[in-house]
């Protein structure tokens, strides 16, 4: 039972490079989310998706892009990496987004350093 | 806007000690409150939750009570184990909002020594 899988676990990028953080879930969840966590800060939402083909901005979307071509996959794209994007990135998914019994499942995180 | 404040860590305890990790929140109405735990090398997992005032969430020996009067949701455990060493996140979801509005605290690292 894989749950939410993120790759890679670690990555070092040079300023201006681009990369894609991969996220896939095998729970047939409609809702998927990307968060970043900076040192000493809580998690902040970058983008989210309510289903295949539908995405929306979160609290801190600048410098990122997402796509949702399938229910399972929700990749996060950094086009021109900047030092401010050094962070730990978490992908999550949930069956629904409201409701008392809804639970969000998280991946292991990707630690990204931009130098 | 909504916010969550957690005590700073690390919290260092000996095995079998009593644990309290403080969490207070600011939100309108009656948010849902959560504690997530992140074990080393793993993703965040839901530990417990409470969806209305005076509810007590519990799991794996951990408890937290939703206190509307003090806007708090403190995490407690009577006797910690080395395996409880992890980072604990308090979070809230505002009334009538979804997980895209989940607000997290900064996390508190717990270190338990034998």
């Amino acid at each position: 039972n894989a749950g939410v899988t993120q790759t890679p676990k670690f990555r070092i990028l040079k300023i201006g490079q681009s990369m894609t953080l991969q996220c896939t879930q095998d729970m047939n969840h409609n809702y998927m989310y990307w968060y970043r966590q900076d040192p000493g800060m809580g998690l902040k939402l970058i983008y989210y998706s309510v289903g295949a083909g539908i995405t929306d901005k979160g609290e801190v979307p600048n410098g990122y892009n997402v796509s949702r071509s399938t229910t399972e996959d929700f990749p996060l794209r950094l086009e021109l990496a900047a030092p401010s994007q050094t962070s730990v990135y978490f992908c999550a998914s949930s069956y629904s987004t409201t409701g008392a019994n809804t639970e969000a499942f998280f991946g292991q995180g990707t630690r990204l350093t931009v130098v | 806007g909504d916010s969550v404040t957690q005590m700073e860590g690390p919290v260092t305890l000996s095995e079998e000690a009593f644990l309290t990790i403080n969490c207070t929140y600011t939100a309108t109405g009656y948010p849902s409150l959560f504690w997530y735990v992140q074990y080393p090398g793993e993703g965040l997992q839901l530990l417990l939750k409470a969806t209305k005032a005076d509810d007590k969430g519990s799991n794996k020996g951990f408890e937290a009570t939703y206190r509307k009067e003090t806007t708090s949701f403190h995490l407690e455990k009577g006797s910690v184990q080395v395996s409880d060493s992890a980072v604990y996140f308090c979070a809230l979801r505002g009334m009538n909002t979804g997980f895209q509005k989940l607000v997290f605290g900064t996390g508190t690292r717990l270190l338990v020594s034998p």
Side-chain angles (χ1 to χ4, degrees):
Chain A
N1 189 5
V4 179
T5 303
Q6 288 183 236
T7 56
K9 289 189 170 56
F10 305 93
R11 183 72 186 268
I12 298 175
L13 276 184
K14 293 185 178 179
I15 294 171
Q17 286 186 321
S18 61
M19 77 164 293
T20 299
L21 282 67
Q22 301 292 345
C23 175
T24 188
Q25 53 91 9
D26 62 359
M27 296 173 282
N28 201 32
H29 285 168
N30 288 324
Y31 296 81
M32 297 187 74
Y33 316 85
W34 273 107
Y35 294 90
R36 60 177 286 174
Q37 183 188 23
D38 300 327
M41 307 286 286
L43 279 71
K44 295 198 180 295
L45 184 67
I46 305 171
Y47 270 96
Y48 68 99
S49 169
V50 303
I54 306 170
T55 62
D56 207 348
K57 295 178 180 179
E59 188 179 356
V60 289
N62 291 343
Y64 306 94
N65 280 300
V66 293
S67 60
R68 185 93 182 272
S69 56
T70 67
T71 300
E72 295 78 18
D73 300 309
F74 190 41
L76 178 72
R77 179 85 178 160
L78 283 71
E79 291 293 349
L80 290 170
S84 61
Q85 294 177 304
T86 294
S87 190
V88 180
Y89 292 83
F90 291 99
C91 180
S93 72
S94 64
Y95 176 71
S96 71
T97 190
T98 58
N101 293 319
T102 296
E103 178 179 343
F105 294 83
F106 285 79
Q108 293 182 324
T110 296
R111 185 175 296 275
L112 175 67
T113 302
V114 182
V115 296
Chain B
D2 295 349
S3 66
V4 173
T5 302
Q6 285 182 242
M7 60 189 292
E8 286 194 25
V11 174
T12 304
L13 295 173
S14 298
E15 207 164 24
E16 299 183 2
F18 184 86
L19 168 71
T20 300
I21 300 178
N22 290 337
C23 172
T24 57
Y25 68 90
T26 301
T28 54
Y30 293 84
S32 295
L33 301 173
F34 306 85
W35 276 101
Y36 282 86
V37 58
Q38 184 181 26
Y39 298 105
E42 299 184 14
L44 279 73
Q45 305 171 23
L46 179 64
L47 180 60
L48 54 83
K49 65 183 179 185
T51 57
K52 59 183 188 295
D54 299 325
D55 265 3
K56 178 185 284 188
S58 61
N59 187 25
K60 300 182 181 181
F62 291 88
E63 293 183 340
T65 302
Y66 188 142
R67 302 283 189 203
K68 179 67 174 172
E69 64 276 13
T70 54
T71 61
S72 65
F73 193 54
H74 304 322
L75 183 68
E76 297 182 336
K77 187 175 186 183
S79 175
V80 294
Q81 305 300 311
V82 172
S83 57
D84 293 327
S85 297
V87 181
Y88 292 82
F89 294 89
C90 186
L92 73 80
R93 177 160 60 94
M95 281 181 68
N96 302 317
T97 66
F99 274 99
Q100 66 271 28
K101 300 293 186 184
L102 203 58
V103 176
F104 285 88
T106 56
T108 302
R109 183 176 299 276
L110 170 65
L111 300 169
V112 181
S113 56

